[in-house]
PDB file of all heavy atoms in Angstrom:
ATOM      1  N   HIS A  47      62.798  44.391  -2.278  1.00 98.00           N
ATOM      2  CA  HIS A  47      62.240  44.582  -3.629  1.00 98.00           C
ATOM      3  C   HIS A  47      62.078  46.023  -3.959  1.00 98.00           C
ATOM      4  O   HIS A  47      62.459  46.558  -5.050  1.00 98.00           O
ATOM      5  CB  HIS A  47      60.956  43.649  -3.703  1.00 98.00           C
ATOM      6  CG  HIS A  47      60.518  43.447  -5.176  1.00 98.00           C
ATOM      7  ND1 HIS A  47      59.407  42.736  -5.368  1.00 98.00           N
ATOM      8  CD2 HIS A  47      61.058  43.766  -6.335  1.00 98.00           C
ATOM      9  CE1 HIS A  47      59.173  42.684  -6.672  1.00 98.00           C
ATOM     10  NE2 HIS A  47      60.238  43.279  -7.244  1.00 98.00           N
ATOM     11  N   HIS A 102      57.755  48.020 -11.992  1.00 98.00           N
ATOM     12  CA  HIS A 102      57.556  48.034 -10.548  1.00 98.00           C
ATOM     13  C   HIS A 102      56.665  49.061 -10.079  1.00 98.00           C
ATOM     14  O   HIS A 102      55.786  48.837  -9.233  1.00 98.00           O
ATOM     15  CB  HIS A 102      59.017  48.178  -9.835  1.00 98.00           C
ATOM     16  CG  HIS A 102      59.720  46.891 -10.031  1.00 98.00           C
ATOM     17  ND1 HIS A 102      60.727  46.753 -11.033  1.00 98.00           N
ATOM     18  CD2 HIS A 102      59.779  45.766  -9.247  1.00 98.00           C
ATOM     19  CE1 HIS A 102      61.225  45.445 -10.945  1.00 98.00           C
ATOM     20  NE2 HIS A 102      60.809  44.797  -9.877  1.00 98.00           N
ATOM     21  N   TRP A 151      57.758  39.166 -16.539  1.00 98.00           N
ATOM     22  CA  TRP A 151      56.369  39.522 -16.065  1.00 98.00           C
ATOM     23  C   TRP A 151      55.297  39.013 -16.783  1.00 98.00           C
ATOM     24  O   TRP A 151      55.290  38.813 -17.870  1.00 98.00           O
ATOM     25  CB  TRP A 151      56.219  40.996 -16.145  1.00 98.00           C
ATOM     26  CG  TRP A 151      57.252  41.905 -15.263  1.00 98.00           C
ATOM     27  CD1 TRP A 151      58.564  42.143 -15.723  1.00 98.00           C
ATOM     28  CD2 TRP A 151      57.005  42.460 -14.023  1.00 98.00           C
ATOM     29  NE1 TRP A 151      59.265  42.864 -14.755  1.00 98.00           N
ATOM     30  CE2 TRP A 151      58.269  43.215 -13.685  1.00 98.00           C
ATOM     31  CE3 TRP A 151      55.953  42.696 -13.219  1.00 98.00           C
ATOM     32  CZ2 TRP A 151      58.486  43.874 -12.511  1.00 98.00           C
ATOM     33  CZ3 TRP A 151      56.142  43.412 -12.050  1.00 98.00           C
ATOM     34  CH2 TRP A 151      57.431  44.020 -11.720  1.00 98.00           C
ATOM     35  N   ASP A 187      55.152  40.041 -10.874  1.00 98.00           N
ATOM     36  CA  ASP A 187      56.531  39.928 -11.097  1.00 98.00           C
ATOM     37  C   ASP A 187      57.071  38.510 -10.981  1.00 98.00           C
ATOM     38  O   ASP A 187      56.731  37.680 -10.072  1.00 98.00           O
ATOM     39  CB  ASP A 187      57.242  40.778 -10.020  1.00 98.00           C
ATOM     40  CG  ASP A 187      58.742  41.161 -10.271  1.00 98.00           C
ATOM     41  OD1 ASP A 187      59.327  40.396 -11.050  1.00 98.00           O
ATOM     42  OD2 ASP A 187      59.122  42.071  -9.651  1.00 98.00           O
ATOM     43  N   TRP A 189      60.253  37.708 -11.564  1.00 98.00           N
ATOM     44  CA  TRP A 189      61.821  37.639 -11.244  1.00 98.00           C
ATOM     45  C   TRP A 189      61.875  36.876  -9.906  1.00 98.00           C
ATOM     46  O   TRP A 189      61.146  37.205  -8.982  1.00 98.00           O
ATOM     47  CB  TRP A 189      62.362  39.063 -11.097  1.00 98.00           C
ATOM     48  CG  TRP A 189      62.578  39.629 -12.380  1.00 98.00           C
ATOM     49  CD1 TRP A 189      61.631  40.000 -13.348  1.00 98.00           C
ATOM     50  CD2 TRP A 189      63.818  40.106 -13.058  1.00 98.00           C
ATOM     51  NE1 TRP A 189      62.197  40.590 -14.483  1.00 98.00           N
ATOM     52  CE2 TRP A 189      63.636  40.590 -14.235  1.00 98.00           C
ATOM     53  CE3 TRP A 189      65.176  40.037 -12.538  1.00 98.00           C
ATOM     54  CZ2 TRP A 189      64.620  41.283 -15.125  1.00 98.00           C
ATOM     55  CZ3 TRP A 189      66.192  40.617 -13.265  1.00 98.00           C
ATOM     56  CH2 TRP A 189      65.814  41.139 -14.492  1.00 98.00           C
ATOM     57  N   HIS A 191      63.581  37.528  -7.336  1.00 97.00           N
ATOM     58  CA  HIS A 191      63.731  38.628  -6.272  1.00 97.00           C
ATOM     59  C   HIS A 191      62.373  38.898  -5.704  1.00 97.00           C
ATOM     60  O   HIS A 191      62.310  39.442  -4.594  1.00 97.00           O
ATOM     61  CB  HIS A 191      64.594  39.886  -6.643  1.00 97.00           C
ATOM     62  CG  HIS A 191      63.876  40.707  -7.749  1.00 97.00           C
ATOM     63  ND1 HIS A 191      64.631  41.307  -8.748  1.00 97.00           N
ATOM     64  CD2 HIS A 191      62.742  41.175  -7.743  1.00 97.00           C
ATOM     65  CE1 HIS A 191      63.675  41.979  -9.352  1.00 97.00           C
ATOM     66  NE2 HIS A 191      62.525  41.964  -8.803  1.00 97.00           N
ATOM     67  N   ALA A 192      61.379  38.584  -6.425  1.00 98.00           N
ATOM     68  CA  ALA A 192      60.037  38.927  -5.970  1.00 98.00           C
ATOM     69  C   ALA A 192      59.428  37.955  -5.058  1.00 98.00           C
ATOM     70  O   ALA A 192      58.605  38.175  -4.190  1.00 98.00           O
ATOM     71  CB  ALA A 192      59.053  39.092  -7.191  1.00 98.00           C
TER      72      ALA A 192
HETATM   73 FE1  FE2 B  22      60.917  42.961  -9.274  1.00 63.84          FE
END
Side-chain angles (χ1 to χ4, degrees):
H47 198 177
H102 285 94
W151 295 77
D187 195 337
W189 285 62
H191 68 225

